[in-house]
Amino acid sequence: MTSDPNHVDFVRRIIVGDVERGKHDGRVHTRFPPEPNGYLHIGHAKSICLNFGIAQEFGGLCNLRFDDTNPGVEDVEYVEAIQADVRWLGFTWDDRLFYASDYFEQLYRYAEQLIESGDAYVDSLDAEKIREFRGSVHGVGRDSPDRTRSVADNLDLFRRMRAGEFPDGAYVLRAKIDMAHPNINMRDPTLYRIRHEHHHRTGDAWCIYPMYDYAHGLSDSLEGITHSICTLEFEHHRPLYDWFLEKLGVHHPQQIEFAKLNLTHVLMSKRNLRRLVEDGVVDGWDDPRMPTLAAMRRRGYPPAAIRQFCEHIGVAKFNSVHEIALLEFHLRDVLNKAAPRAMAVLDPVRLILDNYPEGQGEELEAVNNPEDEAAGTRRVPFGRELFIEREDFMEDPPKKFFRLAPGREVRLRYAFFVRCTSVEKDAAGNVVAVHATYDSETRGGNAPDGRKVKATIHWVSAAHAVDAEVRLYDHLFATEDPMDPRGGPDGRGNLNPESLIVRRGCKLEPSLAEAAADVTYQFERLGYYCVDRRDSRPDALVFNRTVGLRDTWAKEKAQGGG
RNA sequence: UUCCUCGUGGUGUAAUCGGUAGCACAGCAGAUUCUGGUUCUGCUAGUCAAGGUUCGAGUCCUUGCGAGGAAACCA
């Protein structure tokens, strides 16, 4: 992508051209057409942002249309979830919520029209035979014996198909195009199949259902769509898309194909995601490690982060893989500006200020968001005994470690300077408490004598701390390509064993007890976290890590600099 | 051994009619900082290949190489 707004992608370039030439009266009307057979994921978000975004930019409209032509795999559960996800992402379709099933009657009439014009016929070949007759990429196909059936017989048979006279699979309606076509999609594709199945919207009104290629383009046409934007795998279907519209002489939208989103470490195929859920590899479609919008919402992603990401990745025809780091950059960028700050200690060790009066305490003022003055301040309780991060203390620190160590002075964020005096250890040598003295002159965090410290660490008052479970999430797959063959045929060997680390007994500053369910907080110096909307309870808080802060110290350590 | 689409730094994406290859992320270095965060500055690094046309080619032409997709009564 580019920061120059004059640079437009190839889809928008086509649309600009169409508008300038006055095609479709300069109207722009797009649609987002999910099949209600699964949850929306980040890949769909790219398409949603493209379709709804283009409509907004060109003063046009974008419909939400469910492609519900295969009742066996579709369900209302999904139509509701999909609507919630699109709305959450920040887009509205007003009263333009449609279903391909809305058009079943019209689609049927079009089919009869095609039969009458000799462009479609009823075939009795079974699925296997049809496949065989179609031939392969290496050679031409063969005509079905039924290809020459009379119009009258075709019409009669097709009507009886609708009437329910035949069992599943007995007949199909096929377009009569060209069995020798180099594009296999044009070798007499199927238009209708018999399925005695209950449809989630039309009930038992139909026992024949239209195929995607037939239903999709005509639905676009009926809705007055001008630009039908879809992914690259439909490129070979475009001649067919155009064929139906031309034969029927109806409104003809333009299909434009773009490369769908791929991300490193992320599995995007619906089928494989479903297997992760079914096999219990993850906790469900909204497990925060999943790439579904429901999961990302639960994980703490603000929708603006996803939108901003989608705006910046660009649109092209080249099949590419984006680094997950780019998504995380936009996530942190949005969160840094918006997230309220709080202090939390995930791996607590006690810090005792020996010169702080026992049984006393005070409240200190902390800034809620240094990036947003309007966020104001809050008061945080302080006392003699605190919790600090185990990682923020080292008995024998390497050169580049700036935090607490024997004899070392650091600042407690928004509080005082403290100097470490001694360490308490158990028989096994584990640090159980760190002792320090505080400088009462440094209240608020600055020394009147102007002396500096090299580090500021976060803390929580032991007397006021709220306990919580914190779930640290990381990429579900350790390899860039989740289906890397070295991980086995199902990619299971590529799973990241540390994609979820549960920390119990974490200590939070008391204000977090009332954390809002839809707000992602920054735990200072750690990362971004939000209440788990499914599992958290007032008496048993659960927080999810959305993403960590950039951590140059961890990088330093990893390079052996520590 | 068919058809379709596509090849620009590590990743992704720009470059009007052929006219200085730009931006973002990542990486590296430094400055600032009460978050080893943020912010700021700088650096590294690219037109798949070979020919051709041209004063001049990422862009046009030819050939080659490479990648992805296509043979559901799925979408």
Side-chain angles (χ1 to χ4, degrees):
Chain A
M1 186 59 183
T2 163
S3 54
D4 184 343
N6 295 321
H7 294 165
V8 294
D9 55 72
F10 82 98
V11 176
R12 278 172 248 252
R13 193 184 306 278
I14 290 170
I15 296 175
V16 167
D18 287 347
V19 170
E20 281 172 358
R21 293 195 335 268
K23 189 176 177 186
H24 305 298
D25 304 319
R27 214 163 45 82
V28 174
H29 202 329
T30 57
R31 99 271 92 111
F32 174 63
E35 183 188 16
N37 73 338
Y39 287 83
L40 258 27
H41 55 59
I42 179 76
H44 296 111
K46 177 179 180 180
S47 175
I48 294 168
C49 290
L50 228 206
N51 278 296
F52 282 92
I54 283 175
Q56 277 170 12
E57 289 162 35
F58 289 87
L61 299 169
C62 180
N63 298 354
L64 177 62
R65 182 176 71 235
F66 288 98
D67 243 326
D68 55 350
T69 56
N70 188 6
V73 299
E74 294 155 6
D75 196 280
V76 281
E77 174 199 353
Y78 299 118
V79 339
E80 277 157 21
I82 288 169
Q83 289 184 61
D85 286 342
V86 176
R87 225 178 268 124
W88 174 74
L89 245 198
F91 297 101
T92 50
W93 50 88
D94 301 317
D95 57 347
R96 296 180 315 284
L97 171 63
F98 301 117
Y99 297 80
S101 54
D102 292 343
Y103 314 129
F104 279 176
E105 189 60 45
Q106 178 62 252
L107 260 17
Y108 175 84
R109 287 203 295 269
Y110 282 144
E112 287 204 347
Q113 206 177 310
L114 287 173
I115 293 170
E116 281 162 1
S117 61
D119 291 308
Y121 62 99
V122 172
D123 197 351
S124 60
L125 249 34
D126 63 30
E128 203 176 313
K129 280 285 181 226
I130 287 182
R131 184 163 35 246
E132 188 189 321
F133 275 55
R134 184 160 35 227
S136 76
V137 294
H138 300 293
V140 301
R142 282 161 32 224
D143 287 2
S144 163
D146 290 353
R147 204 171 195 264
T148 52
R149 200 195 303 276
S150 74
V151 167
D153 287 353
N154 279 324
L155 217 43
D156 174 61
L157 244 19
F158 187 52
R159 286 173 179 161
R160 290 165 61 198
M161 279 169 66
R162 176 180 182 172
E165 289 188 29
F166 310 116
D168 287 8
Y171 292 102
V172 291
L173 183 71
R174 292 230 256 168
K176 191 188 285 186
I177 306 180
D178 179 2
M179 289 308 290
H181 201 107
N183 181 343
I184 290 167
N185 292 310
M186 298 298 272
R187 320 239 262 229
D188 290 11
T190 303
L191 270 54
Y192 272 90
R193 74 283 216 196
I194 301 172
R195 288 280 170 84
H196 290 271
E197 231 156 346
H198 189 83
H199 185 280
H200 66 96
R201 293 197 79 242
T202 59
D204 298 313
W206 294 88
C207 63
I208 57 172
Y209 291 94
M211 299 288 290
Y212 166 85
D213 286 304
Y214 177 71
H216 190 83
L218 288 168
S219 298
D220 282 346
S221 178
L222 289 166
E223 289 177 17
I225 298 303
T226 58
H227 302 272
S228 180
I229 301 165
C230 62
T231 49
L232 246 31
E233 65 262 35
F234 295 107
E235 216 157 19
H236 325 69
H237 296 244
R238 184 165 11 106
L240 187 51
Y241 183 100
D242 293 335
W243 189 87
F244 289 125
L245 300 174
E246 274 159 28
K247 285 290 173 193
L248 262 4
V250 293
H251 168 71
H252 194 151
Q254 179 180 2
Q255 176 175 303
I256 304 169
E257 312 86 10
F258 70 96
K260 69 178 176 218
L261 174 68
N262 291 295
L263 282 173
T264 58
H265 301 99
V266 175
L267 192 59
M268 213 71 90
S269 100
K270 230 187 243 181
R271 191 176 119 259
N272 289 320
L273 290 175
R274 183 186 309 282
R275 288 182 51 201
L276 291 178
V277 174
E278 285 170 354
D279 296 352
V281 173
V282 294
D283 206 15
W285 285 99
D286 67 343
D287 182 300
R289 292 166 295 181
M290 292 285 274
T292 56
L293 296 181
M296 295 173 85
R297 176 171 49 213
R298 184 173 164 201
R299 173 122 168 208
Y301 270 76
I306 297 173
R307 272 185 263 123
Q308 188 175 306
F309 168 71
C310 289
E311 280 162 24
H312 282 79
I313 53 177
V315 183
K317 300 198 77 155
F318 182 64
N319 228 313
S320 57
V321 184
H322 279 83
E323 290 176 345
I324 187 77
L326 185 64
L327 209 212
E328 291 172 345
F329 166 80
H330 289 290
L331 175 59
R332 292 191 183 103
D333 190 50
V334 167
L335 251 13
N336 175 52
K337 292 178 182 110
R341 314 289 138 123
M343 291 198 283
V345 176
L346 268 34
D347 186 9
V349 66
R350 215 166 269 270
L351 175 71
I352 300 162
L353 306 177
D354 293 303
N355 64 337
Y356 193 91
E358 266 183 84
Q360 281 191 34
E362 61 194 294
E363 288 196 330
L364 297 161
E365 190 171 54
V367 173
N368 284 333
N369 184 352
E371 307 291 322
D372 176 15
E373 210 176 319
T377 61
R378 70 187 184 287
R379 302 185 71 78
V380 186
F382 184 84
R384 185 172 193 266
E385 291 205 10
L386 311 168
F387 289 112
I388 62 169
E389 211 68 61
R390 188 167 290 276
E391 214 187 35
D392 285 342
F393 172 80
M394 279 185 101
E395 195 174 7
D396 186 20
K399 270 195 295 291
K400 289 179 177 170
F401 183 85
F402 305 143
R403 283 108 94 150
L404 203 58
R408 208 56 98 62
E409 187 173 55
V410 300
R411 172 171 33 235
L412 296 177
R413 181 91 159 142
Y414 297 127
F416 298 91
F417 283 14
V418 297
R419 187 180 296 278
C420 174
T421 52
S422 64
V423 198
E424 249 180 80
K425 290 197 273 191
D426 63 15
N430 301 310
V431 174
V432 291
V434 176
H435 287 264
T437 55
Y438 86 112
D439 179 353
S440 60
E441 296 293 301
T442 58
R443 191 174 198 276
N446 287 301
D449 63 6
R451 76 180 189 276
K452 304 282 185 199
V453 287
K454 289 202 80 172
T456 298
I457 64 173
H458 61 278
W459 53 273
V460 171
S461 165
H464 305 86
V466 175
D467 276 33
E469 172 180 323
V470 177
R471 298 173 181 172
L472 305 177
Y473 291 106
D474 199 354
H475 312 316
L476 223 205
F477 290 90
T479 49
E480 287 205 345
D481 175 8
M483 296 307 278
D484 188 310
R486 283 169 291 187
D490 56 2
R492 292 296 160 82
N494 298 325
L495 286 166
N496 175 8
E498 300 191 326
S499 63
L500 169 58
I501 294 173
V502 178
R503 292 277 181 80
R504 297 194 172 82
C506 302
K507 304 294 184 180
L508 314 183
E509 71 166 71
S511 71
L512 251 11
E514 280 100 51
D518 55 350
V519 174
T520 301
Y521 294 82
Q522 184 193 105
F523 289 179
E524 297 222 27
R525 300 211 307 130
L526 296 174
Y528 297 95
Y529 298 79
C530 70
V531 169
D532 185 280
R533 60 188 73 213
R534 203 183 69 184
D535 296 341
S536 191
R537 297 200 314 275
D539 60 336
L541 296 172
V542 178
F543 277 79
N544 295 328
R545 177 170 71 191
T546 311
V547 67
L549 251 26
R550 277 187 71 225
D551 189 350
T552 50
W553 166 240
K555 209 178 287 176
E556 182 86 38
K557 273 195 301 188
Q559 287 170 2

